[in-house]
Amino acid sequence: MSSTTVECPYCSAESAVSIPDGSNIKDVDQSYRTGVWGDAKLSEGTCSEGHHFGVKYE
């Protein structure tokens, strides 16, 4: 896993998230459902304000 910085979709704060090595960020979204009901290629991020959001990668 590698760490990268994205902008929170709620408040625009810079936030660090982890994505698998060699992946590229596709989208940052307010939804962060993963697993069976959501997107398998999604990491959950949390900004300094406490917002939870999803980072889709490919």
Side-chain angles (χ1 to χ4, degrees):
M1 297 291 266
S2 60
S3 184
T4 188
T5 303
V6 297
E7 192 174 279
C8 173
Y10 294 98
C11 66
S12 300
E14 291 290 308
S15 310
V17 294
S18 294
I19 60 172
D21 294 333
S23 297
N24 295 309
I25 292 178
K26 191 165 88 173
D27 190 26
V28 178
D29 193 50
Q30 293 180 357
S31 172
Y32 58 92
R33 293 184 70 121
T34 59
V36 175
W37 302 111
D39 193 331
K41 292 188 172 185
L42 187 75
S43 286
E44 183 182 340
T46 307
C47 77
S48 57
E49 299 293 320
H51 299 123
H52 292 273
F53 57 91
V55 178
K56 295 179 183 176
Y57 56 86
E58 55 187 0

